[in-house]
Structures are given as C-alpha cells and as structure tokens.
Amino acid sequence: MAVSMVQALNAAMRDAMAADESVLVFGEDVGALGGVFRVTDGLTRDFGEDRCFDTPLAESGIVGFALGMAMEGFRPVVEMQFDAFAYPAFEQIASHVAKMRNRTRGSVTVPMVIRIPYGGGIGGVEHHSDSSESHYTHIPGLKVVTPATVADAYSLLREAIDDPDPVVFMEPKKLYWSKAEVTLPVRTERFGQAALRRQGTDLTLLAYGPTVPVALEAAEAAGEAGLDVEVLDLRSLVPLDDETIAASVRRTGRCVVVAEATSYAGAAAEIAARVQQECFYSLDAPVLRVTGAGIPYPPPILEDHYLPGVDRILDAIAQLEWDEPVRL
Amino acid sequence: MAVSMVQALNAAMRDAMAADESVLVFGEDVGALGGVFRVTDGLTRDFGEDRCFDTPLAESGIVGFALGMAMEGFRPVVEMQFDAFAYPAFEQIASHVAKMRNRTRGSVTVPMVIRIPYGGGIGGVEHHSDSSESHYTHIPGLKVVTPATVADAYSLLREAIDDPDPVVFMEPKKLYWSKAEVTLPVRTERFGQAALRRQGTDLTLLAYGPTVPVALEAAEAAGEAGLDVEVLDLRSLVPLDDETIAASVRRTGRCVVVAEATSYAGAAAEIAARVQQECFYSLDAPVLRVTGAGIPYPPPILEDHYLPGVDRILDAIAQLEWDEPVRL
Amino acid sequence: MIKSSGDLETMRQPIHLLPSPSPVRFVDPEGRPAPLEEHGDYEAPPLALAKQAYRQMVLGRRFDEEATALTRQGRLAVYPSSRGQEACQVGGVLALRPEDWLFPTYRDTMAVITRGVDAVQALGLLRGDWHCGYDPMTTRVAPQCTPLATHAPHAAGLAYGARRRGKDTVAMVFIGDGGTSEGDFHEALNFAAVFAAPVVFVVQNNRYAISVPLARQSAAPALAYKGVGYGVRSEQVDGNDAIAVLAVLADAVAHARSGHGPVLVEAHTYRIEAHTNADDAGRYRDASEVDAWLRRDPVARLEAYLRGADSLTDAEIDDARREAEDFAVRTRERMAAEPVCEPSELFEHVFASPTRQLHTERDRLLGERG
Amino acid sequence: MIKSSGDLETMRQPIHLLPSPSPVRFVDPEGRPAPLEEHGDYEAPPLALAKQAYRQMVLGRRFDEEATALTRQGRLAVYPSSRGQEACQVGGVLALRPEDWLFPTYRDTMAVITRGVDAVQALGLLRGDWHCGYDPMTTRVAPQCTPLATHAPHAAGLAYGARRRGKDTVAMVFIGDGGTSEGDFHEALNFAAVFAAPVVFVVQNNRYAISVPLARQSAAPALAYKGVGYGVRSEQVDGNDAIAVLAVLADAVAHARSGHGPVLVEAHTYRIEAHTNADDAGRYRDASEVDAWLRRDPVARLEAYLRGADSLTDAEIDDARREAEDFAVRTRERMAAEPVCEPSELFEHVFASPTRQLHTERDRLLGERG
Ligand SMILES: Cc1ncc(C[n+]2csc(CCOP(=O)(O)OP(=O)(O)O)c2C)c(N)n1
Ligand SMILES: Cc1ncc(C[n+]2csc(CCOP(=O)(O)OP(=O)(O)O)c2C)c(N)n1
Ligand SMILES: [Mg+2]
Ligand SMILES: [Mg+2]
C-alpha cells in the first residue's frame, strides 16, 4: 500500500501508544486539528484527550513539562510546530533534557522524543524552513535522527519512542508527502546505522533527511555521465555510523556531504572532518560539502538559491580531482 | 603596565562609552556590582545609571529589549552572565538579532554586542563552563569573535562595539585574570584576521580563546622534542581567516585544531573541514581535532578529563604521520 | 478606568492596575448604545474619529477578502485573515500618532495598511518575495512578527529608547491570546514596567491559537488580569466594539505617552476565518460558534451605531464601500505583476558589508548554471 | 484566605485568586502574637509542628554557617547561604508529605537537608564532585536547579503526571524573586493552571537577585499578584514568620492536593549573607539594611514566640542547639574526606548505554598519560 511519510509517522505514534500507555503525545495543535501537518491526526480521537492533547503555546514550557512527566514514568512525544519554533525551548533542551541523566548519575532519565519538522523547499514564509539539526548534534546527551524514507519514518520514530534517552527527531517537511509501498509496521536499520541507498564505486555521497532524494537524483545524473556514485543515507546523526561511512569512502576515494543546513559548523562539517581523518590515505580529493548557503533562509521565491540542488552537487562532483575532467 | 583581560574589556567599554553616547551597557548585575566578573566595574559610577544599568533577570528579554533600543539608534552592549545562561535568549538571537538586517533589506540594523563569558577550567559548578560559540557560528548574520590576549580583548571589543552588525563576543573566563604589559588604547588585527602567535615549520596548531595558551604550551613542549610548531590564534570565528590558515598549513603540511567546545559540529569541525579542502595537496596527515569530550561538561573535580590539555595536543601531534615516530 | 493622574506610587496599587471586571463597551451587539455603566468611565471618541474608523474598517474588511482571494490564485503563499477583528486592527492604529510605532504580527496586515503602508509592500512577507516588504524605519511599523511574542521585548526596548532620547513616542504591540503564553510576553511586560516604557500591549483575544481554544491557553479570569502582576495598568474591552476600542486605546496611549508606563489591553474578539487559508477550522470548532460571533460583527455594529446616532448617511456608506472596492481592485491588479526579486540581495544584507566568504559564495551560487 | 471549597468555576474569580493585601502574619517581628486580622483567616499550625520547625531551623542555620565555613577551607567550591530564610526553607519542606516532591534551587540546600537528604550528598553540587550528589528518585527532591526558573515547568509536569497516575502527590517548587522574571516561570504557572496541576510555587522574595534589588526586578505591588493572571490562587506571607509560613503553606498544599490546582505563595524574606561566599554585597547594599533585617530574624522570632507561649523550655532550646552542633560537626568531619569521583562515570551516564564513539573516547581520554 502506498503510505506517505506523514502516515508512517502517525502510525508509529499510534502503534507506540497502543503498545505502551505511558506514551503521550502533546504540543501545539496536535489534538483536534491533528497537527498543522496532520502527523498526529486522529490520535486524540482514538486514544482520548489524556493521551494526545494540546498545550498552551510555549515551547520551553512544553519541553520542561514533558521532562517533569518523564520523571513520573511517562514517555512524552512532543511536537515543535516548526524548526525555528523550537528555539524557545533551547535552554530546556540543552541544560536539562540532554543533561538530566548525566547530572543524576542515571537516576533521572528522560525518555522523551522531540519531534521537529525541519528544512525548506516547501515555500514557507520566514522561520518555517530552518535546518536546526546541527545545534542538537552539538549538545552531548541527545540522539539526533532523521528519516528520508517512509519506512524509516516509521521505524526510527518507534525506536525513538522506545529509546531510554531523549531523541531529537527531525522530520524533513519536504518529504512529508512523499510516498512508498510499505507494509506497516516495518523495522529498518537501528539508530547509528547508515543505509546504502545506491551502490557505486567512484564516489560516495553522504546525505540525510531532505537531501537524500536530491543526492540520489544527482547520482543518477552523474551515472549518465559515466560516474558510478554511491549514496549513503545517514539516518542517524548522533550516533553516526562512522564505520559504514569510512568503508564506503575508502572504497570510492571521494566524498561529498550534502545537507540543507548552513555550512558553518553544521553536521556536514563534522562528517567532512571525520571522513578526512578516517580515510586520509584513501582520499583522491578533498571531502566537499554542498550545503545551505551562509545566509539567513531566503523567502520562498528565492529559496532555490539557498538549497543544495542537483546542479550544485554535480558541480561539487566535477571538482573532485578526477584523472580526466568530467563534464556533468 | 600589566593589564588583566578583565581590565582591558572594561577599558574598551569605557572608551567606547566616552566616544559615543549611544553606547549602553546593560544586563544582570552589571551596575553597582560591576558584573560577577567585574568586567563592567565602575561604569555605572562613571557614566551614570542611564548608560550602564541592571535589568530584570531574563536573558531573552535583555536581548529583545536591546534590539528595540538599537532600532532607536542605541548601540547596546549586553552581558549574558554565563554561557549557559544565554540559552534562554537563543530564539531572540537566532530569529531576530541575526536576521533583522536581512529581513528588512538593510533598513533595520542591529549594532549590538552580546558579551558571553565562556569555557571552563575555572572550577565552576554545572552550567558555568559551557562553550557555546559554535551555536552562534552556525547562525548566519552573526559575527563571532573571541580574544585570547589582553590586547585583543580591548581591540576586538572596541571593534565589536563599532561594528554595524551584531557581534557575539565570547570571553574566555579562564583568561579573565591573565595579564600582559599593554598600553591602552591598543588596536590589533581586525575582525577576520588570525594572528600568528608562534612561528613554526613542522605543523600548525589552530586555537582560539581559552585554548591559545594551551596550544602555545604544547608548542613549547613539542619544540623540546624537536618539532617546530606554528600557532595561530584565530580570534575571529566568523568571519574566519581562511587565507592565513591555508597559507600556514600549506607551508607546514600538518594541522591540529584545538577548541574547548565538544567536537560534534563545533567550530573546530568547520575549520578542519575547510583546511582539508583548501590544503588537500599539501597535507601530510589528516587534520586532527583536540576538543572537549562528547559528554556534558563535568563537575569541577573531573573537568581536566574534559578539557583539551597539553598532553592531548601532544598525543594528537604524535599521530600526525611523521616520517619517523615522534616521542612527545 | 483609572485616570492617568496621581503619583506613580499610588498608581501602582492593585486597584489602579486591575482591569474592569467585564469588558468595556459603548455599543451593544445590535449597534445600540450600551448602558453607561459599561463604559468604565472612558470617554467616547470624537465622532469624526469613529467615522474614520468606519471607513477604514470597511476598507480593511474588503482588503482582507481580497487577500484571501489572492491565495486561491497563488498570488500569496499564505494569508492569515483578520476578518472579525477589524475594530482592533483599525482602532489600534487610529490611536497612534505618526511618530509612534506599531509592532504587528502576521495576523495584522489590516492594521499595517491602516497605518498607511502600501498594500503590496504589506503583503510582501505573505507573498513570499521578501521577508518584510516595507521599510520599517520610514513607516514606523516593525516587521510583521512570526515567532510569537518575540516582538514584544522589541517594542519595550524601542519605547524606552525613544523616551531616553526625549521623544514622546508610544509603541503599540499586537499579540494574540496564544502569544501571551510565551515567555517573551512575560519578559516584555516586565521590562516595560520596570523601565516605565511607553508601550501599549494589545492582546487580540480571538479565542483561538490556530486550533487551540482559549480554555487550553489560559485559566485566567481574563487575560487582562495578567497586568497587575507586573505593576502594569490593565483593561479589557469588547474588541468588536470599535467605539470602545477607540476609547480605551486613546486612554491607554495617553497614559503611556505621559510617562506613566505601559498598559495592557485585552480586546475580546473572534477570528471568523480559519487560522489561514491553509487551515481547516471545521476540525476543531462548530459552525454555530462562528455564526454566533458573526452576529457581533464589528463593522455592521459600528455602522448600525453611527446610523442610529444619525451620523452616517447612505451616501457615506456607499462611498466607503466604493473606496474599499477600488482599493481591493488596485491591490489585485498590482499583485498580478510577478514580483521582482534580486537573488544577489540575499548576500548583500547579511552584514553591512559582505565578508569575503559571502562574496565567494554569492559568485559561486549565483554564477552557477541552471 | 479563600478556603479550598466551592466549584472550580467560582474559584477562578479574581477575588478568590488575589493575595491578601499585605503579607499574612502570625508573629510580629518581636516574637509577639500578631493581631488576628493579619492572619488572613488561616489557622495556626499545631504546636508540635511549630516546635519541629524550630528545631529544624536551628539546625538549618547551623548547617548553613558550617557550609560557609567549608568554602573558606576549600571544601566547597561555592556556597549560596540561605541564612535569614530559615522559616521558608524549613516551613516549605514541613508542609510536604514523604510522597510529595521538592524542586529546589542552588539556594535551598537547607531545605534539601530538612527534607532528609544526607548533608554531604546535598553538598555534592557545591563541592564540585558531582552535579547532583543525591538520588532524586529516592529522595523525591529534584536536583538543585541553577538555570533560573527552568525547574518550574518540571514541577508542573511531574505534578500533573502524578495526578494522571492517580496519586495525590504535590510538587513544591522554590523560586527566587529574580527567577520570577524568567519566561519559564511564566510558562510553568500557566501550564500548571491550565492542567490544574498540584504545584505549590513558593517565591522566596529575599529582595535581591545577586546584586539586583527588587525594584529593578519588578514593579508589581507584590509578586503574589502574578497569580491572578494565570487563574492561580495566590498568597503573600511574612517569610520570616515561621508560624505564618507553616499556616499558609499547609493550606496551599492542601488546596493543591485536593485537586484545586496550583497555588502561588510569595514569602517576603531577606538574604542576610552575600549571594555566595564569592560575592561582595558591600558593593550594592548598606549594612544598615542588613541590620534592620537581622532584627526580624526568623529563628529568634520563632523562639521568642514559642517561649512567650510557654511552649519552649530552655532545655529544649539547648537540646536543639546541641543537635545542630552535632550535625554541623559530623558534616564537617565527613566533608574532610576527599571526594571519590570515578572519571569513567562521565562517559557512563551520557546515554543508557554508551555509543561506540563514547567508548572510544573514554578509552582515549582516560587511558592517556598524565
Ligand atoms: C514561537 C512560535 N511557536 C509557534 C508558532 C506557530 N504558530 C503560528 S500562529 C500560531 C497561533 C497563534 O495564536 P494567537 O497568538 O492566538 O494569534 P492568532 O493567530 O489567533 O492571531 C502558532 C502556534 C509560532 N509562530 N511561533
Ligand atoms: C537563566 C539564568 N540566568 C542567570 C543566572 C545567574 N544567576 C545565578 S543566581 C542569580 C540571581 C538569582 O536571584 P533570585 O532568583 O532572586 O534567587 P536568590 O539567589 O536570591 O535566591 C543569577 C542572576 C542563572 N543561574 N540562570
Ligand atoms: Mg488567537
Ligand atoms: Mg532573590
């Protein structure tokens, strides 16, 4: 059956709620409305107001309240309406959610999932297209995962809800309506494992979330020009699958990291830094990054100038010190 | 005259306030107390309550209020008491301070300085030792600078206050009481320029803020073992002095980046990613990073296990694929 | 109402800060004069002002309709309608002088055009061609703010700054009922109070934050009761009664302007349309609720009131409608032109002068094929 | 005081939410019974409880002195004294049952030990050997919170969670006057009110946030006036009068426990010492101000009151002091031992099971020379 990413996410919460009644879903507009993206559609109807409910409009409050509920044994799944609207919760996330277990030597644990729709390409007005995942990856104590496929949306979210630790679950808005033939429930690779989306020998593209389809498209295009491109979907930024990444790059000798977030100190920088370290002797060219530009996210009409598209990936590939010049 | 970094920062604000009466200093405890680190000591006494004043205890409010004052032509210099206590202002900084000029096509400008004491090594209890600079570097629209010397403390802060754009001014707590013979006022290199702190031919250490003295110490130690280490003090993370960095690494062929912040997606990751890209053909070894550990900042008694110290830098240097094994 | 007199110390007594126990009203839902005891001691606005408000409300409503229509034609990315809130949108702005500042949200485009901002520029954000289509410094209208309540501290800072410069500028900031739950609303009220900044906080309590009803937002007797906890004078007003809104806000602005510090005004109103054109209000509220509020329509109510007072002729009504129609048509025509947006501007306005890296990136990104 | 009866709707009327116009008091500063009209209709606590409070306050004061002394010996990294706030520290905790939760700040170590947490464990944070030296889950004391007001939403969530589980747990959260300015305080009050969570917010208004005096923190008539804006029942109490604190908090806790929602209590008190041992209060306040407050000393006051009521003998006083002395000596002795801190724990408690990267990093960092 063709299932959309939104449906898969919905099913994941639904199944988790059915399996464990300590799982609660709350946030802004997640109740009757079912979320502005309908990811929580029907949960209140089917599980009752006690299990899926709206809160006052205050993100720091939502996350802090969820932490308190976790202390009472609940497993809260909270929704931040858009990436930039999670910023008010930054202190709660950085100073408490990420640190509570460590602070208390494992006594107080925070099995919380913070769902954040992220990224652009949907024609959103300002503040609706930020890619904030890198901030969370820079906070020790948080796991950060992001699906690029419908099956992963289900499986990663189930795993996130089951996880004994806080998980920042980044949902690529642009892929919310993407569909795939999937039978739910489905389980895919676990946290910390990258997935091979396309096999290749000449070069490794590393992508996650919204850039995975873009990377695949670029790989196809490069394939037509005679380059055999491997594409890895990272899925889990923290923990990161260093082994699979390194194995691939050691084989291909070339690597481009593709991410929507602005480049400076983004997760892509981390990945590039690791790859050059791990694969130094195998690299035939520097690790390049194709990322969002170093500017505030543009208004819709100009967002293509910001986003890492196929052309920019191909440009980067062309620069990878090939023995003979490649024309892409 | 021996001047401490605290005194230099104080003098910079003092001189800027004397030069331009639109310069205001405010925040928590900056008035009568002179700041918990005494950086604003005497400003209220000497310039009056109107020019340097205490605010209610609310960091988001402080930054937002400052933005409003900037719209009326003031140049606010606000103090966040400790790094982790700037987190409540994250939304104001990310969604407004950094974006206001861009949003309004240059109509509304934000000549604001956000001073943030950062880093550890001072025996501070939890939340008093975070290194949060990387978050700010990941937000386009912010300049991020940090002094490691007394002269730079003065000069960079003067430049920050004069700058027409928001500057996040990271003050290394550990160096607050460091002293140097400096005659104030002094002007050093401008934003965007790294400073050569030690010349060397075998390897480049890149450091900033609190890690500069550590890097210098490591360089001395390596020198005794026969390695000639160059040390660059980056000073300005955004903009970053790519040219000077690349020129140095091309010459030495080896590079280690030293920063206190946890490694994942930190500024050090950015620098490593750029260096390997810019200097690929000159590198004799991968670019390594010596950073804070991937854990929440530890309690004082254990903080040495977190901090990048001389030993860890030497360990990294030893791994740099030398023709003959080096013993450091 | 507590007149803005007496020393600051006295005025900080709870009794001087608490709002009227029920919303101030001058006109009942049918457009008849409300009993005097509902006026809360406020003075009715001058008739000329009431008539001006009427014209602007008619225009605002028509503009709002046109904007919603533009979303259907793909000319606007999204539009949050303020239909039903015309009395607040217009009444708020008419309480201001040219030198004052308005800090609106995404919902307040009607207020922005009432303030005189060009309609096409005002729609810039929602059209998606730039984040803020007008120039805040010349229009004295801050960018329409999306992150809720975050503009409230800006208003406090600007108002305090202006006072520090010896000006008598007032800053008026619009916030929704939902927005009052955010920490920034709290911090802004507190800063304004502590610094006695001339800010008027206008909470348009339209009873919904997207789908979340007021009862889930707050358990307060009324949102106006938040003021006393900051030492901020507060009031609540029937936000669908333009006369009452004008009366209360004139007083609030005067209070702020005279150096007595901020004022918090809660205007009880209702969002007639869905949150935006993209929202489906049927999921969370009954049509009957909307119907009940349609019967308290602020435009019809003011019209009936002015007519009843023999202060509005048929010709004037026609005229107001024609003007509104013209405005709508002109707006539609001008919105038909493709927006011109220079990509290089993206890199120009990051800093006063682009860094080397921005130069390089611009050349790379804009120079590339495709 | 409004008795916790009547339906929720009625109890949300402003009159039921506003605090007493002046702080509730049972004992005047000289230790004499205060006039009945100052009791605000509250009932005096049982004598046994008052006597227990006295013992604990004597002990708390002595412990606090010892802790300050330990900073001078380098045994504590830093210590924020609660001298002068004994009535709040002890009165708050004595209002709780074992199954309730306490959410303290860095200032509330005295409350933490009153709650029964081992003194050396309670000093863990301030000693610098671990962020939280005790086990919150077994002690039902949350970690002492440093980022101001951020623990308030936790208390609201926990209280609501417990109620959802059918327990009648109450969560009491301590906040400073400064902390009330933070957005999280606002959001917590609002969440607690909307979800009718059994939380008692105790604001220890000790008139300073480090150096910042109350007047720069808030222009409110009293901080207790913040409650009404959330629909939260509020009260203010003389925080140096242990009897009044016990009376008001017993009522507040009962109100919360019975499902009537949260309560906000402002306790007016004073921080006698500097902010911490590292602070220099001479920079921002006069010794005369401190002197005036020393004359309202809560311990002496309770002692005088109990003596005046013939309810405290010299022997009992001696006994309390001896017990306090013993406690202090034992604490000092135990603090003399070097803390044992296993570096590998740093990596153990990041996640339930360390990631591969953490394993590698641990081996690298802990295995290295030096
Ligand atoms: C900080 C933040 N969180 C969430 C949102 C998403 N959002 C946009 S409008 C809205 C509802 C706002 O309700 P209200 O304040 O009552 O204003 P109204 O839309 O009714 O005018 C929400 C939740 C946002 N813009 N900012
Ligand atoms: C978010 C945050 N900002 C700043 C600080 C630094 N700080 C620690 S205590 C303090 C003053 C707190 O005053 P108050 O809330 O009145 O509590 P008190 O210390 O008087 O008990 C400040 C500013 C902090 N801990 N957290
Ligand atoms: Mg609303
Ligand atoms: Mg205090």
Side-chain angles (χ1 to χ4, degrees), chain A residues 84-100:
Chain A
F85 306 146
Y87 298 160
F90 195 80
E91 182 185 32
Q92 282 290 348
I93 297 173
S95 291
H96 287 305
V97 172
K99 293 180 171 173
M100 196 50 98

Side-chain angles (χ1 to χ4, degrees), chain C residues 116-358:
Chain C
V117 173
D118 174 77
V120 173
Q121 290 186 11
L123 291 170
L125 167 75
L126 303 165
R127 187 188 207 183
D129 62 341
W130 201 269
H131 298 310
C132 179
Y134 51 89
D135 179 351
M137 298 311 284
T138 56
T139 58
R140 304 180 86 74
V141 178
Q144 284 181 268
C145 188
T146 302
L148 294 163
T150 54
H151 58 322
H154 307 166
L158 180 135
Y160 174 65
R163 222 169 96 99
R164 281 281 303 277
R165 295 225 181 268
K167 305 178 188 172
D168 67 353
T169 311
V170 168
M172 178 178 284
V173 52
F174 279 154
I175 301 156
D177 44 319
T180 67
S181 295
E182 291 281 4
D184 270 16
F185 174 68
H186 169 78
E187 301 189 10
L189 271 176
N190 194 38
F191 271 71
V194 164
F195 291 103
V199 189
V200 178
F201 295 87
V202 179
V203 175
Q204 289 180 81
N205 177 358
N206 65 7
R207 309 190 78 80
Y208 284 93
I210 306 186
S211 71
V212 180
L214 188 58
R216 197 24 82 99
Q217 204 61 249
S218 174
L223 298 173
Y225 282 92
K226 292 187 182 293
V228 63
Y230 305 89
V232 170
R233 198 190 135 201
S234 312
E235 189 52 282
Q236 53 179 330
V237 60
D238 183 333
N240 282 17
D241 172 358
I243 301 290
V245 171
L246 288 169
V248 168
L249 288 185
D251 186 75
V253 168
H255 178 95
R257 198 184 308 283
S258 62
H260 292 110
V263 183
L264 168 65
V265 175
E266 177 188 14
H268 296 272
T269 182
Y270 193 79
R271 196 195 72 207
I272 296 294
E273 299 288 340
H275 172 65
T276 67
N277 54 296
D279 179 35
D280 173 8
R283 286 181 160 251
Y284 53 82
R285 71 184 185 187
D286 278 349
S288 64
E289 185 185 289
V290 181
D291 285 347
W293 278 92
L294 279 173
R295 287 195 294 278
R296 298 179 229 172
D297 180 57
V299 183
R301 189 154 154 195
L302 180 57
E303 189 175 303
Y305 174 77
L306 289 173
R307 265 180 187 290
D310 284 335
S311 304
L312 191 67
T313 65
D314 285 353
E316 285 173 320
I317 294 173
D318 283 351
D319 197 47
R321 290 187 183 155
R322 202 163 31 238
E323 187 189 23
E325 191 57 34
D326 287 354
F327 188 86
V329 169
R330 255 188 347 264
T331 301
R332 178 169 61 233
E333 285 167 6
R334 292 178 57 215
M335 290 292 288
E338 280 303 325
V340 189
C341 239
E342 196 28 76
S344 68
E345 275 212 47
L346 291 173
F347 296 86
E348 246 166 60
H349 299 306
V350 182
F351 298 114
S353 28
T355 58
R356 252 183 334 238
Q357 284 88 353
L358 278 168

Side-chain angles (χ1 to χ4, degrees), chain A residues 66-280:
Chain A
L67 192 151
M69 294 204 75
M71 292 174 77
E72 256 298 340
F74 289 97
R75 304 181 87 84
V77 181
V78 299
E79 176 175 308
M80 303 279 104
Q81 203 159 77
F82 281 86
D83 23 51
F85 306 146
Y87 298 160
F90 195 80
E91 182 185 32
Q92 282 290 348
I93 297 173
S95 291
H96 287 305
V97 172
K99 293 180 171 173
M100 196 50 98
R101 173 189 287 279
N102 186 263
R103 171 181 304 146
T104 62
R105 289 178 143 122
S107 167
V108 180
T109 62
V110 187
M112 183 193 300
V113 180
I114 303 177
R115 293 181 38 240
I116 308 182
Y118 80 117
I122 58 156
V125 297
E126 205 193 350
H127 306 291
H128 289 76
S129 298
D130 284 21
S131 289
S132 50
E133 69 278 14
S134 310
H135 291 296
Y136 304 111
T137 63
H138 189 58
I139 302 172
L142 301 175
K143 292 179 183 164
V144 183
V145 301
T146 181
T149 68
V150 173
D152 269 353
Y154 181 90
S155 184
L156 288 173
L157 185 52
R158 283 300 302 268
E159 190 176 351
I161 296 171
D162 288 343
D163 199 276
D165 287 303
V167 178
V168 178
F169 192 87
M170 305 293 303
E171 303 177 358
K173 288 193 272 296
K174 204 170 67 175
L175 303 182
Y176 264 154
W177 306 279
S178 64
K179 293 198 166 189
E181 295 291 330
V182 178
T183 310
L184 299 180
V186 65
R187 287 299 180 129
T188 59
E189 298 86 350
R190 308 287 315 250
F191 282 9
Q193 285 177 260
L196 181 66
R197 297 290 178 219
R198 188 182 197 278
Q199 212 149 6
T201 52
D202 291 334
L203 140 92
T204 305
L205 283 183
L206 300 176
Y208 61 88
T211 57
V212 171
V214 189
L216 285 168
E217 215 186 304
E220 287 304 315
E224 282 162 27
L227 284 182
D228 190 14
V229 177
E230 179 144 313
V231 178
L232 288 184
D233 172 358
L234 300 177
R235 304 171 70 255
S236 165
L237 294 174
V238 180
L240 188 68
D241 187 352
D242 294 302
E243 285 73 8
T244 304
I245 295 170
S248 170
V249 178
R250 285 201 191 104
R251 227 179 339 92
T252 62
R254 288 178 172 84
C255 178
V256 175
V257 192
V258 190
E260 265 195 35
T262 189
S263 59
Y264 202 115
E270 177 66 27
I271 296 160
R274 289 200 196 181
V275 168
Q276 62 87 29
Q277 181 176 344
E278 298 299 315
C279 311
F280 186 74

